[in-house]
Amino acid sequence: MEKIWQKSYPKNVPNEIDISRYQNLLDIFTASVAKFGNKKVFTNFGKSLTYKQLDELSTAFASYLQNDLGLKKGDRLAIQMPNVLQYPVAIFGALKAGLIIVNTNPLYTDREMKFQFKDSGAKAILIMANFADKLAAIRKDTPIEHIIITEIGDMLGLKGKIMNVVIKHVKKMVPAYSLPDAVPFQKAIALGRTKKLQLVTTSLDDIAFLQYTGGTTGVSKGAMLTHRNMVANMQQVCQWLKPVLLEGAEVAIAPLPMYHIFCLTVHAFCLVQIGGNNILVTNPKDLPAFIKLLKSTPVTLLTGINTLYNALLNHPDFKEVRLPTLKLSVAGGMALQRAVAEKWQAAVGTPIVEGYGLTETSPVVCINLVDGTGKLGYIGLPIPSTDVSLLDENEVEVAAGEPGELAVRGPQVMKGYWQRPDETEKVMTKNGWLKTGDVAVVDENGFFKIVDRKKDMILVSGFNVYPNE
């Protein structure tokens, strides 16, 4: 397909991105630490980490993984927790140790956990104490050798200690468990500080994340996302948002979980590259607390999904929210409803911009125009360095104006499914196109719209759910 969408690009967005100046994700992080050292990078429950502090803590965690646990390049570390400050420390620590990160949904049942840990071959896990009872029940059936346990308040100082006591003993939110060899997160950091980290060299072709998904066919499998995939997508998204985002000046609220690829790419990488501060929301379902945060934060960027924006708009306290500094809200994970977009624009004064992607594309494929002049109900334009085609049943491109299965080719497309060449073959064509399972049309200006789904699948809060589940 001719790249007709490029004629609709904003004037300062390039047609292509260049990732050749980076060796891996850590190159970008290291550059940001040097540039924005004392600026805030992540904030949670009012406590902030600076770029320098995140660098030091992640090095200590990497040292513990390498020296105390003996983990080697390519070993898998599972991380299972909501949005807390420990999460970015663990991500950048694991990458420094050359590990592959297996992001695990805290809402998983023990059956789902067992499958994912066995399938990924995870050797170690960092898990929130609230879910440790499920791990204790299945541990013997998994390859996990090392367990690090953390609690919500572990990095929040005195306030965090009080919070941990309340959560455990007053609210009784931590079910009893027995994992006698588990090491507390704070002890792991302390041990890591006492030893030197040996630098591990990773290349763009090394796997950075195993992101589990029902994919396009419903069988849970790990999308192998390489450093190249992630570096490419963060560059693509950063270039697309460049017309509205300023280096070192953005305050972004992250209510979506960091184990979800949308939040991971945008907040752990894009915003870090431009020197932003990410406000991590641990429980976005607590709408009164979330609305209080919106009222008290000079937020410039908000990411979310349709259900979250809708819930906010329908909450009585939201009428009192004024967001004078907000430049942009981004919706992904599921379709944005026209009524929600229009109500948000009327209430807040700035648009929600819809994007489209998949776990298999790290995740972003298309985004609408960030100035709000894009087409409502459309997923927008393919981002720089991205090819999109609409295919028929025989993998032949359909005629102009006809609907077809949306297929993607670009540097953000996964390496394949972990140890599933059969499943990879089902979604990848011989000439490198990823078939998404979504049926779309494109207009004369290159704006794409999803009109159907080839296989039965329900999107629930941005997650793929299949009828057999």
Side-chain angles (χ1 to χ4, degrees):
M1 184 180 283
E2 187 195 342
K3 293 189 177 185
I4 54 171
W5 49 85
Q6 288 179 346
K7 68 182 181 184
S8 300
Y9 273 21
K11 62 175 182 293
N12 50 353
V13 171
N15 291 343
E16 305 291 328
I17 51 144
D18 174 24
I19 58 170
S20 61
R21 65 184 191 273
Y22 303 109
Q23 285 297 302
N24 51 42
L25 283 165
L26 285 175
D27 274 4
I28 295 166
F29 177 64
T30 305
S32 289
V33 171
K35 202 170 189 179
F36 308 111
N38 293 317
K39 281 188 168 294
K40 295 172 182 177
V41 60
F42 286 98
T43 300
N44 183 230
F45 290 113
K47 167 85 167 132
S48 296
L49 288 180
T50 65
Y51 280 79
K52 237 183 233 171
Q53 288 169 329
L54 178 58
D55 188 37
E56 287 162 7
L57 286 161
S58 59
T59 296
F61 189 63
S63 168
Y64 173 76
L65 297 171
Q66 186 184 79
N67 295 307
D68 291 79
L69 303 189
L71 297 178
K72 305 268 189 298
K73 180 180 175 179
D75 284 343
R76 273 77 68 204
L77 168 75
I79 303 176
Q80 188 173 19
M81 62 174 94
N83 288 0
V84 288
L85 292 175
Q86 297 90 301
Y87 216 130
V89 170
I91 285 172
F92 289 105
L95 292 174
K96 285 178 180 181
L99 305 185
I100 296 170
I101 296 160
V102 182
N103 280 313
T104 305
N105 187 337
L107 302 179
Y108 269 176
T109 61
D110 46 8
R111 176 184 61 81
E112 290 168 314
M113 286 165 65
K114 182 166 78 173
F115 172 83
Q116 187 169 309
F117 300 152
K118 281 175 76 170
D119 189 73
S120 64
K123 264 196 176 177
I125 184 170
L126 170 59
I127 187 169
M128 186 69 73
N130 306 51
F131 321 115
D133 61 312
K134 291 188 281 188
L135 178 62
I138 57 150
R139 196 246 174 112
K140 67 181 189 310
D141 300 319
T142 73
I144 290 172
E145 296 169 22
H146 310 287
I147 298 168
I148 308 155
I149 292 200
T150 191
E151 295 181 55
I152 284 177
D154 275 359
M155 293 188 66
L156 306 175
L158 179 61
K159 179 171 85 173
K161 286 180 179 160
I162 296 165
M163 191 185 279
N164 286 345
V165 170
V166 171
I167 286 168
K168 194 185 279 185
H169 300 294
V170 180
K171 295 191 174 178
K172 309 252 187 265
M173 289 167 70
V174 180
Y177 63 87
S178 175
L179 292 165
D181 58 340
V183 175
F185 177 77
Q186 288 169 316
K187 186 181 177 184
I189 295 288
L191 287 167
R193 287 188 198 277
T194 65
K195 302 181 184 78
K196 191 167 169 50
L197 174 68
Q198 299 301 313
L199 281 176
V200 179
T201 307
T202 47
S203 75
L204 287 172
D205 293 322
D206 286 321
I207 300 166
F209 294 91
L210 287 185
Q211 283 291 127
Y212 275 77
T213 173
T216 60
T217 58
V219 181
S220 183
K221 48 208 170 281
M224 294 185 282
L225 301 182
T226 63
H227 283 261
R228 183 189 308 280
N229 296 151
M230 297 298 290
V231 168
N233 207 232
M234 64 183 283
Q235 296 297 102
Q236 290 166 317
V237 173
C238 280
Q239 289 294 343
W240 196 263
L241 299 182
K242 200 163 66 174
V244 289
L245 300 188
L246 295 173
E247 216 176 62
E250 303 304 332
V251 178
I253 293 187
L256 301 182
M258 285 180 79
Y259 57 81
H260 192 289
I261 187 66
F262 178 35
C263 183
L264 183 73
T265 296
V266 173
H267 292 280
F269 296 112
C270 291
L271 266 295
V272 168
Q273 182 180 10
I274 64 163
N277 179 21
N278 296 277
I279 317 283
L280 298 177
V281 179
T282 306
N283 178 18
K285 288 184 178 175
D286 182 352
L287 285 177
F290 187 26
I291 288 168
K292 197 172 160 192
L293 177 69
L294 287 172
K295 282 180 182 174
S296 61
T297 308
V299 58
T300 62
L301 175 71
L302 180 61
T303 57
I305 51 176
N306 185 79
T307 41
L308 180 63
Y309 290 117
N310 194 36
L312 287 170
L313 286 164
N314 287 314
H315 196 282
D317 294 351
F318 191 71
K319 288 193 207 56
E320 299 156 28
V321 174
R322 299 288 173 268
L323 299 170
T325 54
L326 184 69
K327 302 176 187 178
L328 185 64
S329 304
V330 182
M334 63 194 300
L336 174 66
Q337 293 169 323
R338 177 181 285 271
V340 172
E342 288 170 348
K343 275 172 79 176
W344 185 266
Q345 174 87 43
V348 174
T350 52
I352 301 181
V353 172
E354 185 170 5
Y356 166 83
L358 305 91
T359 302
E360 291 87 346
T361 55
S362 314
V364 184
V365 174
C366 294
I367 314 180
N368 229 312
L369 297 177
V370 294
D371 61 0
T373 61
K375 295 186 73 168
L376 203 51
Y378 283 68
I379 55 172
L381 307 166
I383 54 179
S385 295
T386 302
D387 288 310
V388 172
S389 183
L390 300 178
L391 306 178
D392 66 15
E393 292 295 332
N394 301 313
E395 295 180 4
V396 175
E397 194 163 88
V398 298
E402 293 292 310
E405 181 175 8
L406 195 149
V408 188
R409 194 166 60 181
Q412 73 269 50
V413 174
M414 67 170 181
K415 192 174 185 172
Y417 292 122
W418 175 255
Q419 296 176 340
R420 294 286 175 87
D422 54 329
E423 289 290 333
T424 304
E425 210 174 285
K426 285 179 191 172
V427 298
M428 297 297 296
T429 70
K430 288 185 173 56
N431 49 358
W433 291 91
L434 172 80
K435 296 186 290 181
T436 65
D438 289 312
V439 178
V441 291
V442 60
D443 74 5
E444 66 283 0
N445 295 312
F447 285 84
F448 284 80
K449 181 184 178 107
I450 303 294
V451 293
D452 202 358
R453 172 85 203 151
K454 280 191 80 172
K455 297 187 176 69
D456 290 337
M457 184 186 78
I458 307 143
L459 272 166
V460 180
S461 296
F463 288 95
N464 296 354
V465 178
Y466 290 82
N468 64 350
E469 294 179 87

